[in-house]
Amino acid sequence: MADTTGQGSVARATIVRLRPRLKVVIAVAVVCFAASFVTPELPSLVFLLVAIMLLMVTCAILALNTWAARADRAAANAAHQFFDEDLAATCVTGADGVVLYANRAAQEMSGFAAPQSLIEVLQASVANPARLLFGLETRATAGGAAQEDVVTRQGHLRISVHRMDAGNLLWRLEKTEKRPADEADPFPLPMMTVGRSGAVLHMNSAARELVGERARTLDRVFPKLPLRSGQLNTINSSEGAVSCLVVELEGKAGRREIFLLPGVAPTERQPDGWAFFDELPVPLLKLARTGEIHLSNRPARDLLGVDGCCGKVVHDLMEGLGRSIPDWLDDAAAGRGGVHSEFLRVKRDDREVFLQVTLNRAIEAGETVLIAVLSDATKLKSLEAQFVQSQKMQAIGQLAGGVAHDFNNLLTAITGHCDLLLLRHDRGDPDFADLVQINQNANRAAALVSQLLAYSRKQTLRPEVMDLRDMLSDLTHLLNRLVGEKVTLSLSHDPTLSSIRADKRQIEQVLMNLVVNARDAMPDGGDIRVRTENVTLDDPLWRDRAIVAPGRYVRVNVEDDGVGIPADKLQKVFEPFYTTKRTGEGTGLGLSTAYGIVKQTGGFIFVDSAPDEGTVFQLLFPAHDPVEIAEDPVVEQINHNRPVEGVVLLVEDEAPVRAFASRAMQMRGLTVLEADSAEAALELLEDTTLNVDVFVSDVVMPGIDGPGWVSRALKSRPDTQVVFMSGYAAETFGEIQARIPNSLFLPKPFSLTDLTEIVQRQMLRAKSIAAE
């Protein structure tokens, strides 16, 4: 049956697509047939074959059309037998949307004895039926059936469609008395929206049950106008005239929102007639234009965290986030401006609450009062604060990375020229100690820059699969020396702890920073506990601004019993240069460095703390299965005293770095060609007689970058070895470097020995390739 339906749908779609072109096909066939008599032999034969094929297509279309018409009549006859007396409007349509059958109810609904399309049936009830019908037809064609409940001018209508054989569709239009059960009414109280002319634009389900479906104008509902907002009014309900409390609020575009509260006796009302406030589900305040609170309902008092509001002023309970509250109230009362909505912070001690407060004007006894509608915006403001914090951290990271790159170039020149000077001075020289001091302080500056790069996640990592238990075992002796005698350090491990993939040296630095911070938080001594365990997440973990995906992780907790961190400072601890220590006791880079290292490793770091309750830092690293470490091939030991001959092309845009690197390599016996840009290097290499063994290039340069010009040069010199230098991490261009053969990476700042070793290693490889 499914196959037959599918074939019928395809055939019906083919007929609908080709039927309008049938006359064109016949005309082309006649022209081709006539042309076969007036053209030479070979073209004549071609025209004759085309004419025959087109006539065959015409016959096929006519046959399919006859079959489709017969199927349409069969579908109409079948529908007639089942649905002619159905009270619901029922129609059968073909693939082209034409009505093949409409029962009596459908004919009465459309006003036509033989409606041509469903649009004619629905246009008297639905404003834009074409879009609705297209969506239902698409869903029914794909899934076999579809259904939708809509509100029409005559009430609620349920439209259902079912797919039949041969691509036809069966439609049922059934009136319903009530709203669909899955449409929850946000206002259980009767509520109406009224336009400027008094027309009732909308009524919720409670209002329709109270006043009936036919109330289309305000005078149909209220026999006596104008309304008295906040007082008893007589309404024409479905059960006759009844009294109810009425509150009228000013809506958008001149509309009015009218709430009805039937069944309230005069004795239940306060003298001002606004007792219904507590019955409304929306948090509301009634204010004077000066900000004095006259009335409040229960939901509003719950949000504000008070038992009563009468006699208080708005700015006693809430504070603005920028604009003056009295000015805002005065503009709303005078009707100045457009939307009178502001975000305010509630002054309560138990928790932080933000509100979006919208003001509406109302007239009471000739005086202007304000109705404040409160909405809890705490989650929204929390998300906004997290987004701003994330943007700030990202901006600081980019700034730190850029500053670190420039500093690395300067430090490379300082340490490099210092190394050159140290080669010409022995220990007995009076300047030797000064040069050593310069070199040591330059290395300290390089360590500081490395911390900045760690925070901005742009330092070079050398990850390996390792066991944290072994690493902590090797680090225990140093950690015990760091914590001192007053503090006790204890370690506990999961016996089946999984491995992680990280840079061992950097993870050691993270743990040392966390342990030192825990020690400083306990000046009178205490316990520091380092725990490791396996964790499996079945569902995503939402924490702070991070989302930890499900999977296997290794968790490391560093816990202390120190002074703790206040809540207002907890979100700032990972920012660079932020410290709670006294001047001279810390740089403020310890936790920011840990944050950057953990993030660059692919892990997560979280902190939990409270004043006088201690602090827990939690690290999460993705678990890795242990791998067998292959032995490194034996590398020929480089003799630094033996000169190595060869030609090096040095490309560096920073003149001090270029000068140092050139002199360092020349001292090892290498011939160095210098270029201050990629364009100058490519111009030098245009000389085909020039032999170059190693390219030494900076990565980031004006114009063409390092990998860019090297890729061009290797097309004509494929055996040349390459050394890239950069103040950024290798990861920032690792994918590009992976496509460049025979290339190594040298991070800045580097020493004279670092540079000459890596260049000599590449030179030896170049010589061995040339010898082969």
Side-chain angles (χ1 to χ4, degrees), residues 411-434:
L411 291 172
T412 300
I414 293 172
T415 58
H417 286 91
C418 189
D419 287 343
L420 292 174
L421 287 172
L422 285 171
L423 291 176
R424 299 200 300 270
H425 295 75
D426 56 20
R427 293 185 178 274
D429 195 297
D431 295 332
F432 185 82
D434 295 334

Side-chain angles (χ1 to χ4, degrees), residues 122-429:
L122 286 174
Q123 63 184 0
S125 303
V126 180
N128 185 17
R131 183 176 180 182
L132 172 66
L133 296 175
F134 177 77
L136 286 168
E137 182 177 347
T138 302
R139 286 153 49 195
T141 303
Q147 177 180 299
E148 189 161 338
D149 293 288
V150 297
V151 179
T152 70
R153 298 182 181 93
Q154 286 77 32
H156 296 282
L157 186 68
R158 175 166 296 170
I159 305 176
S160 57
V161 56
H162 300 267
R163 188 177 62 197
M164 302 174 64
D165 290 344
N168 295 323
L169 296 173
L170 174 65
W171 300 81
R172 279 177 54 82
L173 317 174
E174 186 176 4
K175 294 182 179 180
T176 59
E177 296 297 329
K178 296 182 179 181
R179 294 162 56 95
D182 57 347
E183 293 187 18
D185 193 343
F187 295 104
L189 289 177
M191 187 271 291
M192 300 188 302
T193 301
V194 181
R196 294 175 179 173
S197 62
V200 177
L201 305 177
H202 170 72
M203 290 191 295
N204 66 355
S205 58
R208 284 194 298 271
E209 291 179 3
L210 179 64
V211 302
E213 295 278 353
R214 298 183 178 276
R216 297 302 176 191
T217 58
L218 199 60
D219 56 3
R220 290 283 190 92
V221 181
F222 297 94
K224 294 182 180 181
L225 292 175
L227 295 180
R228 294 173 296 167
S229 181
Q231 299 183 25
L232 283 175
N233 288 260
T234 301
I235 68 168
N236 293 324
S237 72
S238 56
E239 299 179 356
V242 297
S243 295
C244 68
L245 281 170
V246 175
V247 59
E248 180 180 348
L249 301 180
E250 185 176 329
K252 298 179 180 179
R255 298 177 179 178
R256 295 181 288 169
E257 306 291 342
I258 298 176
F259 290 87
L260 310 176
L261 187 63
V264 179
T267 55
E268 296 175 317
R269 298 187 294 114
Q270 294 180 1
D272 60 4
W274 289 77
F276 62 91
F277 251 39
D278 270 351
E279 304 298 331
L280 290 174
V282 181
L284 296 172
L285 297 175
K286 175 188 171 187
L287 312 172
R289 64 186 304 161
T290 58
E292 184 180 355
I293 300 175
H294 292 169
L295 282 175
S296 62
N297 66 349
R298 190 177 298 105
R301 293 192 293 272
D302 292 341
L303 277 178
L304 296 173
V306 295
D307 296 328
C309 298
C310 292
K312 297 182 179 179
V313 184
V314 171
H315 32 272
D316 291 338
L317 301 175
M318 294 176 278
E319 59 184 0
L321 302 181
R323 188 181 180 187
S324 168
I325 292 181
D327 291 345
W328 171 54
L329 295 174
D330 192 58
D331 286 347
R336 293 190 294 266
V339 179
H340 301 291
S341 179
E342 289 287 340
F343 286 96
L344 304 178
R345 181 180 178 274
V346 180
K347 296 179 180 179
R348 52 187 301 175
D349 299 328
D350 56 341
R351 61 189 178 96
E352 191 172 51
V353 177
F354 292 92
L355 299 178
Q356 182 180 13
V357 183
T358 303
L359 298 179
N360 298 273
R361 297 171 61 204
I363 304 299
E364 182 184 38
E367 296 291 332
T368 300
V369 296
L370 296 173
I371 307 300
V373 182
L374 314 182
S375 301
D376 191 351
T378 305
K379 291 184 178 179
L380 177 63
K381 297 301 290 186
S382 176
L383 289 174
E384 180 183 348
Q386 291 177 7
F387 176 74
V388 171
Q389 177 74 2
S390 176
Q391 292 291 95
K392 181 173 66 174
M393 298 282 276
Q394 182 180 0
I396 294 175
Q398 291 176 345
L399 176 63
V403 170
H405 172 260
D406 292 339
F407 263 83
N408 276 334
N409 277 327
L410 296 174
L411 291 172
T412 300
I414 293 172
T415 58
H417 286 91
C418 189
D419 287 343
L420 292 174
L421 287 172
L422 285 171
L423 291 176
R424 299 200 300 270
H425 295 75
D426 56 20
R427 293 185 178 274
D429 195 297

